Amino acid sequence: MQAEQRGRVLVVAGKESGDALMERLTASGYHCATAERESGLAELADVLQPEVVLLSVTAKRAGELLESLRRVERLQRLPVVVDVGRSRSAEAFKRLAVDDWIRGADEVVPRLEAALRAGRLKDREERVRLRMGMLLEITQAATSSLELEEILRIAVDKVGRVTGTDRCSVVLVEGSHARTGKVVATQEDPSLVQLDIEVARYPELRRALETREPVLIEEAQRDPLMAEVRTSIVPLGVKSILVQPLICQDDLLGALFLRVSRMDASFGRDEQEFTQAVAGVLANSIRNARLHTAVKKKREDLEMAYVERYHELLEANRRLKELNRLKDEIIAVVSHDLRAPLQVLLGHGRLLLEGPLESQQKQSAEAMIRQGKKILGLVESLLEKGKGEAARLSIEPRVLDVAQLCRDAVNELEILAAERGVVLRADCPDSLMLIGDEVKLHEVLQNLITNAIHHARDAGEVVVSTRRLGRPDGDAAKVTVQDDGVGIPQDELHLVFDRYRHGGKGTGLGLAICKEFVELHGGEIWAESPPEHGCLFVFTLPLAQEAPRNPRPPVATATLHEQPRVLVVEDEPEIAAVLSEVLRSKYRVEVARDGAEGLARARAQRPDLVVMDVFLPKLDGLDAAMALKSSSDTANIPVILLSAHQGVAEKVRALNLGAVDYMSKPFNAVELLNRTDRALKLRQGEREQMEREKSQPSLQRRTGSDPATGLHDRRGLLLRLEQELARSRRYLRALSLAVLRPDRPVESIPGNIADVMRKRVRHPDAISHLGGGVFVVVLPECNAEAARNVISRLLPDVEKVTDTEYRSAVADVSQDSDSVEKLLEKLGAPPPDEG
């Protein structure tokens, strides 16, 4: 074994004993040097760099030498061994602070070997502790709020101190084939920061970047890789070079460059591992800093674009306001100019009626007054239409008799029918009371009757009839306007109410307005073409719960209380009135004017359904919905959200608020009633299931709940999956399904498995247990990739609790047309008899 490998020993002794020890140690393979006095110890230690000190002197002399040794920095921590074999009083040495004693010549080599091993182990532990401490400091700096330049400066300083390099630098590049790099931090000379370099001039750096692997040059002046730059590095005395690439998520960001010039120094395995760990931390910091810079620039660009767009919209809004003002002025002038002569005509008409008139003259005067009132109503309608879409959405409800409204419309249009030779009559025997807007319903009747008169046969007939229509959800008024004209082809019936396309019957725009007004009242309108002749226009309107003009048997109090309660949360009074009137035909309705009031009423009254606008004062509708779902008292109340803003539906889905439905404004009254009914039926089904489970706990498995875990069983899973599939297909939303199956059957399911699994999933997600430790997770609003991420976080918790390894299968089933049982089978769920 070479002396360097065996160890280096500093012998402090008299000349005779020192020579003897030197001879023995040199023969045993040690590299030695001897000293007789304290003077020159520091210089000798620098040359030899000993690993252990051997004293062969008297006890008194040994105490003096120990004090001198501890004053030399290189010798302070070295183990000290004392040769007491030549001393007459060995007990005196035991009071000295030394590491070991040699009592005979045969113990010299074994004792020194043990001291060397102990010293090297202690030195290694010290270096490991230093490296770990430095790595921790670098990591703390990298995760702090410091700028990247400061993080890199701290890192190169720490690495240089640990590895003993005379140069430690960080070089950043753009990609594997970059021709240039930038020195962003260096230990040797801070002035070299932000220095641009050519990668081709550094062969070791070039190879590390191309191969993405560390490059170690142990003897730089003899290594073939450094041949092209040897003339440059020889004057610098470069000994070893280590280049560690900086790579994060497969992105090459640069390299950590280390160089030493001492002939006795090198980069061992410990130094290489330490450098690799530091490179991982720095690469992550550099990538995060670049991402932050990119995001910051993108944000600044977006803010600039937003400001420009904001100014454009301000200007456009200013122009629109100016145009709207001009429109209002025009409508005001026109309406004023029309109203003035109409008031004169109506005034003189009333004066004529007060005077003596013949029968025919009186009828003419009455017709003039009726038509004058009609024109005045059209002027008011013109003003209303000038208010835009919001006016059409609003109604001014009051109790009215639709049968009397039909008779009045027939009387007003009798002269028009007579001019065309058409008989116009009303068949409206019974009073039918409802709550509605008289002006809008009058316009519907006038449009339909006028249209029928124009298309009736010469000397033909138009009949307006009303009937009570019995329905399970409440009686309705059925109004029919029938002519005996040529009719409408069957393939064109669906076009007559289209605003821009229509068949050969009607004006299109007028019928489209009729459809809007009827549906605004919660009714329906359609056209029929009887096989015999003519055309039939029919619309229905829900009757009021109370009919004072033609009272029916009183409704029992219990029946009223059985009506579902609907809470409407809407800050716009007109929209709130429309919602209330539409829903009041079937439900008990209460109104809240802002989100905070709606949330308070929902908590206090526990309604069966909440219909809520998204944008509300005091408390946003989204926040209110989230508050309802987060409380156990109100979590089961279904919520339908409304909004007139584009893109809110996607936002609602992304937030996973648990709303059962979403509707945009302006809404269709029939659609609102249908969706309300669907949400209440779903709520009623869940409530009945809960009641059955409470009253019959022994039937928990049959009713959809697994008694072992409290999760859904197979039946409950099938019901929930059917609902989520229907919802995802109707609204084109993602729906993922995951099956977790153990490698072996789990005999005993831990009681806390439900709590463990729910911590890893979202509120809308459903979990079921099919028996034997097989679990199924339903993830609404979640694509397959996101679902796999959720399951990957869930699996370790399930495996830890059950002490069993699991396999998972995940798929997006929103567009799969197979049955729910087939979907489960595809993902590996056991069949019903197995589960």
Side-chain angles (χ1 to χ4, degrees), residues 23 85 167 658 731 734:
E23 182 179 356
R167 169 174 287 188
Y731 298 110

Side-chain angles (χ1 to χ4, degrees), residues 370 401 403-413 426 438 442:
R370 284 196 304 271
D401 185 355
Q404 183 61 43
L405 196 62
C406 291
R407 290 192 289 268
D408 292 343
V410 167
N411 291 334
E412 291 176 2
L413 296 172
E438 183 176 3
H442 187 269

Side-chain angles (χ1 to χ4, degrees), residues 723-773:
Q723 295 170 0
E724 295 297 346
L725 274 172
R727 187 174 297 154
S728 67
R729 291 166 183 170
R730 183 166 67 246
Y731 298 110
L732 300 179
R733 303 177 184 176
L735 173 67
S736 292
L737 189 63
V739 174
L740 284 61
R741 190 161 188 170
D743 289 341
R744 57 178 176 82
V746 180
E747 301 297 337
S748 177
I749 299 296
N752 64 335
I753 187 67
D755 296 333
V756 170
M757 297 183 72
R758 286 196 179 104
K759 288 179 181 178
R760 290 294 187 182
V761 299
R762 306 163 304 164
H763 174 73
D765 300 339
I767 311 174
S768 60
H769 178 228
L770 303 186

Side-chain angles (χ1 to χ4, degrees), residues 105 620 645:
D620 187 84
H645 291 250

Side-chain angles (χ1 to χ4, degrees), residues 282-509:
L282 296 184
N284 190 60
S285 296
I286 294 167
R287 185 175 185 274
N288 289 341
R290 288 185 175 181
L291 288 176
H292 176 72
T293 302
V295 170
K296 183 178 179 182
K297 185 177 185 305
K298 185 66 175 178
R299 184 184 64 186
E300 292 174 352
D301 294 342
L302 288 174
E303 288 178 351
M304 183 61 66
Y306 169 79
V307 171
E308 294 175 357
R309 184 60 176 163
Y310 176 75
H311 288 306
E312 292 176 3
L313 291 175
L314 277 180
E315 178 61 22
N317 190 49
R318 185 193 64 77
R319 292 196 300 268
L320 287 174
K321 285 183 178 179
E322 180 65 21
L323 292 174
N324 190 59
R325 186 185 63 79
L326 293 175
K327 180 227 17 172
D328 291 341
E329 289 181 359
I330 293 171
I331 291 177
V333 171
V334 171
S335 63
H336 178 270
D337 291 346
L338 288 174
R339 277 174 173 167
L342 279 175
Q343 295 295 341
V344 175
L345 288 175
L346 290 174
H348 284 284
R350 295 189 187 96
L351 289 176
L352 287 175
L353 283 177
E354 292 175 0
L357 292 175
E358 297 178 1
S359 175
Q360 185 176 359
Q361 292 174 335
K362 185 175 182 180
Q363 290 181 3
S364 298
E366 289 175 348
M368 288 171 56
I369 291 175
R370 284 196 304 271
Q371 295 305 312
K373 288 182 178 179
K374 177 183 176 182
I375 297 173
L376 187 59
L378 291 174
V379 171
E380 299 295 336
S381 179
L382 175 64
L383 287 174
E384 187 177 7
K385 287 183 176 64
K387 297 176 183 177
E389 195 71 25
R392 293 223 303 273
L393 280 177
S394 63
I395 61 174
E396 297 180 6
R398 70 179 185 85
V399 179
L400 55 90
D401 185 355
V402 71
Q404 183 61 43
L405 196 62
C406 291
R407 290 192 289 268
D408 292 343
V410 167
N411 291 334
E412 291 176 2
L413 296 172
E414 276 182 344
I415 296 179
L416 176 61
E419 290 176 354
R420 297 186 59 83
V422 175
V423 176
L424 176 62
R425 64 184 179 87
D427 181 14
C428 308
D430 297 326
S431 177
L432 300 172
M433 306 304 297
L434 54 80
I435 299 176
D437 190 314
E438 183 176 3
V439 174
K440 285 182 170 57
L441 293 180
H442 187 269
E443 186 172 347
V444 171
L445 288 168
Q446 283 198 330
N447 277 337
L448 295 179
I449 296 172
T450 304
N451 194 47
I453 292 173
H454 282 298
H455 291 87
R457 292 185 304 172
D458 293 338
E461 183 181 44
V462 173
V463 180
V464 180
S465 60
T466 57
R467 295 289 184 273
R468 180 182 295 276
L469 185 64
R471 296 192 303 197
D473 56 351
D475 291 353
K478 179 180 179 182
V479 182
T480 303
V481 179
Q482 183 173 10
D483 64 65
D484 57 0
V486 295
I488 303 174
Q490 291 290 335
D491 59 348
E492 294 184 5
L493 283 175
H494 67 287
L495 299 175
V496 295
F497 295 104
D498 194 292
R499 183 177 292 272
Y500 303 107
R501 294 194 313 156
H502 53 86
K505 187 85 169 181
T507 60
L509 185 57

Side-chain angles (χ1 to χ4, degrees), residues 246-253 280 282-288:
L246 301 176
I247 301 174
C248 183
Q249 297 186 5
D250 204 39
D251 290 339
L252 180 63
L253 308 172
L282 296 184
N284 190 60
S285 296
I286 294 167
R287 185 175 185 274
N288 289 341

Side-chain angles (χ1 to χ4, degrees), residues 154-176:
I154 293 173
V156 297
D157 179 64
K158 303 293 184 186
V159 173
R161 288 168 56 187
V162 170
T163 58
T165 58
D166 50 70
R167 169 174 287 188
C168 179
S169 306
V170 175
V171 181
L172 298 186
V173 298
E174 297 291 340
S176 303

